[in-house]
């Protein structure tokens, strides 16, 4: 790849500023020298200053007498035959010498100072240019530079607030031996395949044009946060031997009207000059939101979007510029931006499945020292629903735990514990529960686990603990599906409601009292029940009519009702009835198996944590030991 040459304007600006600085300094130095010139006085003044003991230093020669007072001022006078001169000088306390202090020529001093400052600024410029050249030759993964920057030199961003002088603050990826490649990205095989096709087109466009195919002008990466959209873009930079421009959508938004559009024009002008190349715009929803007639519309954002649409339309079929963009809010993008001819291809980057999670864990495990017998599939199954960023964090947390435990390699227990850290937070050892609260939490968690185990089509229990976590949970029950599920049946959802109700039901059954510990269970149960009625069509009253829509699919899945107030009232009543039905079912199950509830709760109370195998062993045993009342 050819080196990206910096703009020559910074050189001119640098030297202009350098000249102004050292000229100013030397002018001050010159005037200072002038003020220090030797003053010619009469011999009588010399005699008076000698008698008054005002002299600090005297130099006598055959042609003149040069002397200096205690204020640092120099004087000179002609010599006169005086036999008592040395005696008077000795009595005055002045230091007298036989050599003359000849004042230097001010022009000579000025030229010396000028030369020194030229050398200083030349050394600074040589050092900076050498560093930049070395950085480019080393081939970093990413180099920051000003695209079309009028000032262009670090530290010389002009304009009001630094915004008018710089048109663009993009970044360009260059070829690097240690950059991210497609092999470093796991769990997104479909996305890699589509992006590999784009890279191949940029390398060998003739192969596609021979058959009459044209590559999409733009590709939009959509998916939840942490799934690797930006990582895939960096992998494209690592695979492609073409310039790769990267900029965030928020960098186009400026406080001055028209600056965003100018940045877009400048970015695409640079891209056309470097073609074939790739332009990556991260978080494009910052400038690509739908346009409307609202009075609150941001004119600057709309101008920027219009300029972006115009630039994408202006590309010809053979320019070799491909636009990549990433967002986790595709529903908010303007329709004109998504039409064919602009972003032709939409590449989903979803949460990884079981196989994808295993591959991602293995990729990140290469960076740490890990035991050979680690079961990555068990870890991936436990971390169901985790994104690529969370899986990377799990491996890192496991490595940190191994160091805390004094081990040099990561083992299975480290990874399992790190999954729980990501899900529920760290163990809060400083929080000590009273015996009564600890007993309530034990029954609560066993209530969840027992109801789950007594139902069919329910995920097996893997772990029960009553150790408080930093997330605020006083305990939790971990269920892990043996297989990957992409569809949920009505029976499975009903079982989840019963399982979530099991903790509250155990409190009611054993203590005849309820606590605030079920708040999270209630929230989850209400959300599931409402979704069953309003979105999944699992109610006889509404059949297959959607009463609710999801607004942010990848950002929490917020919903909004689309029905009349009367229907909303009816939905609320149906949600209450559905949850209450499963709550009663859980209560009845626990009442029928109260001896097992006591036995397992006692074991959990004593050990604080039990595994799924221990739980099932106690459940299937014939022991019916009653827990003594505390």
């Amino acid at each position: 790849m050819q080196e990206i040459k910096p703009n020559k304007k910074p050189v001119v600006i640098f030297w202009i500023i350098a000249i102004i600085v050292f000229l100013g300094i030397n002018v001050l130095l010159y005037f200072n020298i002038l003020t220090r010139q030797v003053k010619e006085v009469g011999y009588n003044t010399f005699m008076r200053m000698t008698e008054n003991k005002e002299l600090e230093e005297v130099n006598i020669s055959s042609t003149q007498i040069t002397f200096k007072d205690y204020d640092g001022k120099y004087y000179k006078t002609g010599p006169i035959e005086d036999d008592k001169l040395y005696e008077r000088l000795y009595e005055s306390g002045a230091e007298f010498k036989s050599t003359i202090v000849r004042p230097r020529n001010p022009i000579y001093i000025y030229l010396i100072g000028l030369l020194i400052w030229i050398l200083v600024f030349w050394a600074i410029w040589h050092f900076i240019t050498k560093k930049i050249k070395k950085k480019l030759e080393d081939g970093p993964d990413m180099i920051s530079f000003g695209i079309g920057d009028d000032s262009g030199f670090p530290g010389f961003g002009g304009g009001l607030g630094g915004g008018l002088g710089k048109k663009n603050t993009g970044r360009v990826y260059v070829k690097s031996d240690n950059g991210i490649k497609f092999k470093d990205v796991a769990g997104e095989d479909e996305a890699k395949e589509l992006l590999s096709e784009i890279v191949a087109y940029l390398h060998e466009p003739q192969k596609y044009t021979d058959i009459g195919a044209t590559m999409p002008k733009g590709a939009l990466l959509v998916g939840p946060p942490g799934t690797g959209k930006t990582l895939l873009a960096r992998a494209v930079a690592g695979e492609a031997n073409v310039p790769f421009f990267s900029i965030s959508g928020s960098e186009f938004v400026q406080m001055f009207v028209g600056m965003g559009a100018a940045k877009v024009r400048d970015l695409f002008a640079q891209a056309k000059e470097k073609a074939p190349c790739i332009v990556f715009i991260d978080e494009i929803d910052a400038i690509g939101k739908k346009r409307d007639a609202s009075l609150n519309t941001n004119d600057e954002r709309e101008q920027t979007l219009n300029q972006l649409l115009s630039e994408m339309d202006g590309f010809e079929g053979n320019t070799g510029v491909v636009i990549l963009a990433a967002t986790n809010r595709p529903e908010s993008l303007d329709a004109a931006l998504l039409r064919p001819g602009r972003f032709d291809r939409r590449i989903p980057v979803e949460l990884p499945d079981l196989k994808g999670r295993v591959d991602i864990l293995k990729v990140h495990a290469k960076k740490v020292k890990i035991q050979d017998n680690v079961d990555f599939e068990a870890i991936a199954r436990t971390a169901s629903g985790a994104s690529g960023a969370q899986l990377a964090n799990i491996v890192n947390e496991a490595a940190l735990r191994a160091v805390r435990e004094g081990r040099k390699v990561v083992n299975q227990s480290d990874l399992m514990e790190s999954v729980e850290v990501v899900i529920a937070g760290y163990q809060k050892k400083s929080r000590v529960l009273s015996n009564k609260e600890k007993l309530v939490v034990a029954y609560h968690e066993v209530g969840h686990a027992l109801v789950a185990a007594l139902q069919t089509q329910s995920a097996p229990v893997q772990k029960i603990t009553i150790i408080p976590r930093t997330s605020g949970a006083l305990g939790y029950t971990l269920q892990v599906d043996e297989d990957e599920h992409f569809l949920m049946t009505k029976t499975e959802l009903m079982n989840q409601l019963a399982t979530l109700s099991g903790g509250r039901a155990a409190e009611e059954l054993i203590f005849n009292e309820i606590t605030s510990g079920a708040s999270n269970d209630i929230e989850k149960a209400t959300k599931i029940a409402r979704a069953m009625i309003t979105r999944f069509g699992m109610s006889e009253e509404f059949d297959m009519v959607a009463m609710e829509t999801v607004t942010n699919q990848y950002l929490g899945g917020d919903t909004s009702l689309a029905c009349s107030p009367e229907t909303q009232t009816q939905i609320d009543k149906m949600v209450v009835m559905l949850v209450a039905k499963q709550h009663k079912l859980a209560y009845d199950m626990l009442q029928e198996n109260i001896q097992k509830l006591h036995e397992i709760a006692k074991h959990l109370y004593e050990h604080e944590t039990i595994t799924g195998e221990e739980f099932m062993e106690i459940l299937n045993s014939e022991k019916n030991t009653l827990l003594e009342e505390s």
Side-chain angles (χ1 to χ4, degrees):
M1 177 185 296
Q2 293 183 350
E3 180 181 353
I4 298 176
K5 297 182 179 179
N7 195 345
K8 293 184 178 180
K9 288 184 180 180
V11 181
V12 178
I13 295 175
F14 177 85
W15 283 111
I16 290 175
I17 295 176
I19 292 172
I20 293 174
V21 170
F22 70 66
L23 280 178
I25 293 175
N26 279 276
V27 167
L28 295 176
L29 180 64
Y30 179 75
F31 281 110
N32 185 47
I33 292 173
L34 290 180
T35 58
R36 295 183 57 185
Q37 294 303 300
V38 179
K39 182 178 180 181
E40 186 173 359
V41 296
Y43 193 81
N44 59 336
T45 303
F46 169 65
M47 293 181 62
R48 176 177 55 78
M49 294 179 68
T50 303
E51 293 174 355
N52 295 337
K53 299 182 178 181
E54 298 176 0
L55 300 182
E56 179 183 3
E57 182 180 320
V58 179
N59 291 271
I60 304 173
S61 71
S62 59
T63 56
Q64 70 175 9
I65 300 175
T66 305
F67 52 96
K68 183 180 74 170
D69 61 12
Y70 286 101
D71 294 333
K73 297 180 180 179
Y74 286 90
Y75 304 88
K76 67 179 180 179
T77 186
I80 296 178
E81 186 175 353
D82 188 348
D83 297 335
K84 297 182 178 181
L85 174 61
Y86 295 101
E87 183 179 346
R88 285 197 300 272
L89 289 175
Y90 181 79
E91 292 176 355
S92 69
E95 180 182 355
F96 51 94
K97 304 176 184 178
S98 60
T99 58
I100 293 180
V101 176
R102 297 183 182 276
R104 295 178 180 177
N105 191 321
I107 301 301
Y108 171 76
I109 296 176
Y110 180 79
L111 292 176
I112 292 295
L114 186 66
L115 180 61
I116 292 173
W117 280 107
I118 291 176
L119 292 175
V120 168
F121 278 100
W122 178 85
I124 295 174
W125 175 252
H126 180 71
F127 174 78
I128 293 174
T129 53
K130 185 177 179 180
K131 285 289 185 182
I132 294 175
K133 184 177 180 180
K134 184 177 183 301
K135 190 74 173 176
L136 291 172
E137 290 176 350
D138 290 344
D141 288 340
M142 185 173 68
I143 299 176
S144 297
F145 74 105
I147 303 176
D149 192 350
D150 286 342
S151 60
F153 188 78
F156 293 98
L160 299 176
L164 294 180
K166 287 190 174 182
K167 293 181 181 179
N168 219 321
T169 55
R171 293 169 292 278
V172 62
Y173 290 81
V174 297
K175 186 177 181 180
S176 174
D177 295 333
N178 57 355
I180 295 176
K181 308 291 185 180
F182 281 141
K183 62 181 177 61
D184 301 315
V185 183
E188 300 294 343
D189 295 336
E190 295 81 5
K192 287 196 296 183
E193 182 179 352
L194 294 172
L195 291 173
S196 299
E197 190 176 29
I198 293 176
V199 174
Y201 172 78
L202 291 172
H203 288 170
E204 299 178 292
Q206 191 63 34
K207 184 170 62 175
Y208 293 86
T209 55
D210 287 345
I211 199 173
T214 58
M215 181 54 57
K217 294 181 180 178
L220 183 66
L221 302 172
V222 298
T227 50
K229 297 184 293 296
T230 305
L231 187 66
L232 281 168
R234 293 179 61 190
V236 172
E239 294 286 345
N241 285 326
V242 294
F244 186 93
F245 296 90
S246 173
I247 190 168
S248 174
S250 60
E251 296 183 45
F252 289 110
V253 180
Q254 298 290 316
M255 64 179 293
F256 300 102
V257 176
M259 288 304 299
K263 278 193 171 188
V264 173
R265 287 192 296 269
D266 189 65
L267 173 64
F268 283 93
Q270 292 283 329
K272 292 175 183 177
E273 291 177 1
K274 303 295 182 181
C277 67
I278 299 174
V279 176
F280 175 62
I281 305 175
D282 198 8
E283 303 296 344
I284 194 173
D285 51 273
I287 58 171
K289 291 182 180 178
K290 295 178 180 177
R291 294 165 291 181
D292 52 35
S294 173
L295 295 177
N296 295 325
T297 298
N298 187 334
D299 290 337
E300 168 63 7
R301 182 180 61 79
E302 284 201 5
Q303 287 188 24
T304 306
L305 174 59
N306 290 335
Q307 186 62 44
L308 177 62
L309 297 175
S310 175
E311 293 290 344
M312 294 187 71
D313 263 347
F315 283 152
E316 298 177 359
N318 57 355
T319 56
V321 179
V322 176
I323 313 298
L324 294 181
T327 182
N328 43 37
R329 300 181 61 189
E331 71 282 348
S332 67
L333 296 180
D334 195 271
L337 195 63
L338 301 177
R339 72 159 177 80
R342 291 190 176 123
F343 284 108
D344 307 80
R345 182 170 291 180
R346 178 166 171 161
I347 302 176
V349 187
E350 303 287 348
L351 292 172
D353 56 11
L354 178 60
K355 181 181 179 301
R357 292 196 298 273
V358 172
D359 294 338
I360 293 172
L361 287 171
K362 289 181 179 179
V363 167
H364 292 292
K366 294 178 182 178
K367 304 174 184 177
V368 300
K369 295 180 180 179
I370 195 166
Q371 286 184 350
D372 297 333
N373 60 348
V374 169
D375 186 0
F376 288 105
E377 187 171 345
I379 306 299
R381 191 179 293 110
T382 306
S384 177
S387 65
Q390 289 175 319
L391 293 171
N393 192 28
I394 286 172
V395 175
N396 186 61
E397 286 290 343
L400 296 176
R401 183 177 185 270
V403 174
R404 288 196 299 268
E405 297 290 333
R407 285 180 276 100
K408 295 184 178 180
V409 293
V410 177
N411 57 26
Q412 185 82 11
S413 63
D414 294 327
L415 288 166
M416 292 299 295
E417 176 62 26
S418 64
V419 173
E420 297 182 44
V421 167
V422 173
I423 295 174
Y426 293 93
Q427 293 184 5
K428 197 174 180 65
K429 298 179 181 179
S430 61
R431 177 173 293 176
V432 180
L433 301 178
S434 64
N435 292 336
K436 177 66 175 179
E437 288 183 332
K438 187 177 178 181
L439 188 63
V440 171
V441 175
Y443 272 102
H444 182 102
E445 297 303 331
V446 173
H448 287 308
L450 195 55
V451 172
L454 293 173
Q455 297 179 108
T456 59
Q457 301 185 38
S458 184
V461 176
Q462 180 163 329
K463 184 177 181 180
I464 313 172
T465 180
I466 56 173
I467 299 176
R469 294 276 175 166
T470 53
S471 63
L474 300 178
Y476 66 90
T477 300
L478 181 62
Q479 292 179 260
V480 178
D481 280 310
E482 295 180 353
D483 300 317
E484 193 82 346
H485 283 277
F486 299 98
L487 294 175
M488 294 292 291
T489 65
K490 183 177 181 180
T491 302
E492 290 174 335
L493 292 172
M494 296 290 280
N495 288 346
Q496 284 189 10
L497 292 178
T499 301
L500 290 168
S501 303
R504 170 60 64 85
E507 294 177 10
E508 295 171 335
L509 179 62
I510 303 301
F511 303 101
N512 293 320
E513 185 63 273
I514 58 177
T515 68
S516 60
S519 60
N520 186 251
D521 302 330
I522 294 171
E523 182 180 349
K524 291 180 179 178
T526 305
K527 188 175 181 179
I528 292 173
R530 182 174 292 275
M532 291 174 64
I533 295 170
T534 60
R535 292 167 47 209
F536 302 154
M538 293 182 179
S539 66
E540 297 180 356
E541 288 81 357
F542 299 130
D543 196 33
M544 292 183 61
V545 178
M547 300 295 173
E548 197 174 50
T549 56
V550 178
T551 53
N552 288 326
Q553 179 183 358
Y554 299 124
L555 296 176
D558 297 335
T559 58
S560 59
L561 284 170
C563 57
S564 65
E566 293 79 8
T567 304
Q568 294 181 24
T569 303
Q570 187 178 358
I571 290 172
D572 292 338
K573 291 179 180 179
M574 293 172 64
V575 170
V576 173
M577 291 176 59
L578 183 58
V579 175
K581 178 182 177 181
Q582 296 308 110
H583 181 194
K584 185 179 184 306
L585 176 63
Y587 186 92
D588 294 340
M589 285 183 177
L590 295 177
Q591 193 172 33
E592 293 174 2
N593 297 271
I594 191 170
Q595 303 300 332
K596 291 296 180 183
L597 177 62
H598 286 313
E599 188 177 348
I600 300 171
K602 177 183 178 181
H603 189 81
L604 179 61
Y605 179 83
E606 294 174 348
H607 296 83
E608 293 188 338
T609 300
I610 60 176
T611 63
E613 291 79 5
E614 293 174 332
F615 168 74
M616 293 305 299
E617 183 180 349
I618 299 173
L619 181 61
N620 296 328
S621 68
E622 296 181 356
K623 295 180 180 180
N624 291 315
T625 305
L626 294 176
L627 178 66
E628 297 179 1
E629 294 185 7
S630 299

